[in-house]
């Protein structure tokens, strides 16, 4: 099979791959890299106003890392935690504070869900649809949450 593909490529031929019809493909809005940079800047500004150094991650509508910032002096473990918080907020479609609260209220099975069950992750909405999420880590929940919430509120049009 490899030889056949190589033969087509060498001869300048093209392989035609099957495509799906438009009716079978979802049109799913996502946050742009520019939008992610705005969220990062807003979160960083809020963190500075609180005299905190944090890690900030923004994921797109697939939960993939789109932007990241580690402020000088930010807690090293927060690098992974902020990304996990953002992915968790996206996947569960709610702030990670709700997931942490559910565990404290006895929903222990959530611990096995592959999520970061810590406050600081917030979904990002546009026209009522989740287009990504932001995660903040490095301070404590009383600071991580307001930084993430402020970024989302201040970046909203």
């Amino acid at each position: 099979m490899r030889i056949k593909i190589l033969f087509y490529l060498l001869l300048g031929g093209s392989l035609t791959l099957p495509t799906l019809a438009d009716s079978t493909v979802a049109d799913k809005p996502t946050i742009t890299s520019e939008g992610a940079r705005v969220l990062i800047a807003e979160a960083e500004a809020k963190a500075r106003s609180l005299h905190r150094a944090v890690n900030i991650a923004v994921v797109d509508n697939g939960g993939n890392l789109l932007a990241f910032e580690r402020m000088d002096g930010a807690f090293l473990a927060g690098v992974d935690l902020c990304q996990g918080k953002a992915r968790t907020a996206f996947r569960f479609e709610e702030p990670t504070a709700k997931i942490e609260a559910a565990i404290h209220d006895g929903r222990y099975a959530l611990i096995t869900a592959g999520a970061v069950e810590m406050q600081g992750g917030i979904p990002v909405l546009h026209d009522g649809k989740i287009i990504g999420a932001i995660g903040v880590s490095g301070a404590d929940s009383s600071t991580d949450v307001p930084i993430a919430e402020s970024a989302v509120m201040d970046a909203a049009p």
Side-chain angles (χ1 to χ4, degrees):
M1 180 68 176
R2 281 188 171 155
I3 294 173
K4 189 174 184 180
I5 292 172
L6 184 59
F7 178 73
Y8 279 112
L9 294 175
L10 288 174
L11 292 178
S14 64
L15 297 174
T16 305
L17 299 174
T19 60
L20 294 175
D22 287 342
S23 63
T24 61
V25 179
D27 185 20
K28 188 175 176 185
T30 189
I31 188 168
T32 63
S33 57
E34 180 181 342
R37 285 190 297 271
V38 169
L39 283 173
I40 296 278
E42 294 291 347
E44 189 173 353
K46 179 65 174 182
R48 288 189 194 290
S49 76
L50 297 171
H51 307 288
R52 300 290 188 174
V54 297
N55 300 279
I56 310 155
V58 177
V59 298
D60 64 14
N61 69 355
N64 303 299
L65 184 63
L66 188 57
F68 170 79
E69 176 72 28
R70 179 171 182 241
M71 295 175 66
D72 292 339
F75 181 55
L76 186 56
V79 171
D80 293 327
L81 290 173
C82 72
Q83 293 175 51
K85 289 177 181 185
R87 284 187 186 100
T88 300
F90 170 75
R91 289 178 183 152
F92 282 82
E93 300 182 352
E94 61 187 6
T96 55
K98 286 187 176 183
I99 297 164
E100 183 177 343
I103 292 168
H104 287 290
D105 291 341
R107 185 78 166 111
Y108 305 118
L110 281 171
I111 295 171
T112 65
V116 174
E117 307 90 5
M118 301 170 72
Q119 297 181 35
I122 307 287
V124 178
L125 302 171
H126 179 72
D127 290 336
K129 294 181 180 180
I130 296 177
I131 60 168
I134 185 170
V136 175
S137 186
D140 53 45
S141 60
S142 67
T143 309
D144 289 350
V145 173
I147 292 170
E149 289 176 338
S150 176
V152 172
M153 294 299 288
D154 292 346

